[in-house]
Amino acid sequence: MKKNFSLTILLTCVLLCVIVAIVIVGALLPEKNEVIQGEIEMTDYRVSSKVPGRVKEIRVSEGDFVHKGDTLVILEAPEVEAKLSQANAALEAAQAIEQKAKAGARAEQVQAAYEMWQKAKAGLDVAQKTYNRVIDLYADSVISAQKRDEAEANLNAMKATEHAAKSQYDMAVNGTQREDIEAAQAQVNRARGAVSEVNSYVSETILTALEDGSVTEIFPELGELVGTGSPLLNVAMTNQVWFTFNIREDLLAGLSVGNQYKAYIPYLDKEVDIKITRMKDVGTYAIWKATKALDQYDLKTFEVKAVPINIADVSGVCEGMTAIFRK
């Protein structure tokens, strides 16, 4: 019994010695810095069309580098082409009306109006002579007042007819009224606007790159129908690169917006100079480090955004690659 008790004491002493040794060694070892890992991000944009259509050609593949203005996708939209034909036909009709208005009456129409005026003048001359004779006869009491009134009415009617014929002739000579010409020009302008509108839709069937970048995703397949505003491609702008690091607030000491630091990029196996441009709370839903159990406080995580000082230093990187922050 005494032997077992002595063995227990010995084991207890050994265990205490081991614990003390571990504590001493741990205290003497240098504190290891926590690795702050982030990722590379890029500004990207999606290419989409304003008009529905069928995918006729896809001229790029995922991973291709494209330049601003390069053709990416061509859509087939027969409905838009039909509307363009209708708009062009309406424009041609409006232009014909405008030309007719500007040209005025034809020579044949002017001649016909002149002859009608001359006919009316001849009729007026006969009516005037008849009226004069009737007045003389009425003065001599040869005819009744009824005949005189009939002759006077006929004279007035012929005067009105001659005046109307003269107006028609003047109109033919002077040509179309200014208001009619302006109305015809307005119709032409309206038709041209319709053609321009449809042409803008036609141009939307040929989708080009807005900026230089790398094609990261292609959504539709060849021959697939796509609707208005449907995304077709995603292009990452390789000249707009930044880094995002989620850093716990107890590790933010010494960091401030505008200062320069280092970031190690494993893909390139080198360090690059970066500058912090933003420090933002990522929200209560993000990672916390609970320390209240030790009668301290909770530590929140902040999103730190940085940009490379020289964009050429990160040439060739892809979105999502790892970056290690170093003070």
Side-chain angles (χ1 to χ4, degrees), residues 233-248:
L233 295 171
N234 195 76
V235 180
M237 300 168 63
T238 53
N239 61 341
Q240 296 189 22
V241 180
W242 74 86
F243 305 90
T244 300
F245 303 96
N246 291 323
I247 304 178
R248 206 171 58 239

Side-chain angles (χ1 to χ4, degrees), residues 171-187:
M171 185 182 298
V173 172
N174 294 332
T176 310
Q177 294 183 358
R178 179 175 57 85
E179 293 81 0
D180 293 335
I181 295 177
E182 291 177 352
Q185 290 174 339
Q187 289 293 331

Side-chain angles (χ1 to χ4, degrees), residues 99-110:
Q99 291 174 358
K100 181 179 179 181
K102 289 181 177 179
R106 295 183 302 177
E108 294 85 350
Q109 293 174 320
V110 174

Side-chain angles (χ1 to χ4, degrees), residues 49-102:
S49 173
K50 292 182 180 178
V51 296
R54 188 179 299 276
V55 179
K56 184 178 180 180
E57 287 185 53
I58 300 177
R59 295 192 173 184
V60 293
S61 302
E62 291 185 358
D64 288 351
F65 186 86
V66 295
H67 297 279
K68 181 178 180 180
D70 287 351
T71 300
L72 306 178
V73 178
I74 298 178
L75 300 180
E76 188 176 33
E79 297 85 357
V80 177
E81 295 174 359
K83 288 184 179 297
L84 179 60
S85 298
Q86 295 173 2
N88 284 327
L91 176 60
E92 291 176 359
Q95 289 174 334
I97 294 174
E98 181 189 29
Q99 291 174 358
K100 181 179 179 181
K102 289 181 177 179

Side-chain angles (χ1 to χ4, degrees), residues 83-144:
K83 288 184 179 297
L84 179 60
S85 298
Q86 295 173 2
N88 284 327
L91 176 60
E92 291 176 359
Q95 289 174 334
I97 294 174
E98 181 189 29
Q99 291 174 358
K100 181 179 179 181
K102 289 181 177 179
R106 295 183 302 177
E108 294 85 350
Q109 293 174 320
V110 174
Q111 182 63 31
Y114 177 77
E115 291 174 355
M116 291 299 295
W117 177 40
Q118 295 305 311
K119 180 180 178 181
K121 284 177 65 176
L124 175 61
D125 184 59
V126 172
Q128 184 67 55
K129 291 178 179 179
T130 301
Y131 176 73
N132 292 337
R133 293 192 189 99
V134 169
I135 290 297
D136 292 338
L137 294 173
Y138 176 74
D140 295 335
S141 300
V142 176
I143 61 175
S144 63

Side-chain angles (χ1 to χ4, degrees), residues 82-304:
K83 288 184 179 297
L84 179 60
S85 298
Q86 295 173 2
N88 284 327
L91 176 60
E92 291 176 359
Q95 289 174 334
I97 294 174
E98 181 189 29
Q99 291 174 358
K100 181 179 179 181
K102 289 181 177 179
R106 295 183 302 177
E108 294 85 350
Q109 293 174 320
V110 174
Q111 182 63 31
Y114 177 77
E115 291 174 355
M116 291 299 295
W117 177 40
Q118 295 305 311
K119 180 180 178 181
K121 284 177 65 176
L124 175 61
D125 184 59
V126 172
Q128 184 67 55
K129 291 178 179 179
T130 301
Y131 176 73
N132 292 337
R133 293 192 189 99
V134 169
I135 290 297
D136 292 338
L137 294 173
Y138 176 74
D140 295 335
S141 300
V142 176
I143 61 175
S144 63
Q146 175 67 27
K147 293 296 184 179
R148 183 202 63 181
D149 294 340
E150 290 176 356
E152 184 178 4
N154 182 57
L155 175 62
N156 292 334
M158 291 308 298
K159 286 180 179 179
T161 301
E162 187 273 341
H163 180 73
K166 177 67 165 57
S167 297
Q168 290 294 326
Y169 172 69
D170 291 340
M171 185 182 298
V173 172
N174 294 332
T176 310
Q177 294 183 358
R178 179 175 57 85
E179 293 81 0
D180 293 335
I181 295 177
E182 291 177 352
Q185 290 174 339
Q187 289 293 331
V188 171
N189 293 334
R190 180 181 178 183
R192 283 175 178 163
V195 172
S196 297
E197 180 182 7
V198 179
N199 275 326
S200 69
Y201 293 141
V202 172
S203 66
E204 287 294 329
T205 61
I206 301 176
L207 306 180
T208 59
L210 303 178
E211 297 290 343
D212 294 355
S214 179
V215 179
T216 57
E217 289 181 279
I218 300 177
F219 301 107
E221 299 292 338
L222 191 65
E224 184 177 341
L225 285 173
V226 293
T228 302
S230 298
L232 305 179
L233 295 171
N234 195 76
V235 180
M237 300 168 63
T238 53
N239 61 341
Q240 296 189 22
V241 180
W242 74 86
F243 305 90
T244 300
F245 303 96
N246 291 323
I247 304 178
R248 206 171 58 239
E249 59 182 317
D250 61 330
L251 302 177
L252 290 176
L255 302 185
S256 61
V257 175
N259 288 352
Q260 295 185 15
Y261 302 93
K262 296 285 187 180
Y264 174 71
I265 303 177
Y267 171 74
L268 300 177
D269 192 23
K270 70 175 183 179
E271 288 186 340
V272 298
D273 294 322
I274 62 174
K275 180 176 70 174
I276 294 179
T277 58
R278 186 183 68 186
M279 297 173 65
K280 177 186 176 184
D281 175 18
V282 295
T284 57
Y285 56 83
I287 299 174
W288 289 60
K289 181 179 181 182
T291 59
K292 286 184 177 179
L294 303 177
D295 295 328
Q296 297 182 15
Y297 50 86
D298 288 333
L299 296 174
K300 297 180 67 175
T301 299
F302 284 75
E303 181 184 85
V304 177

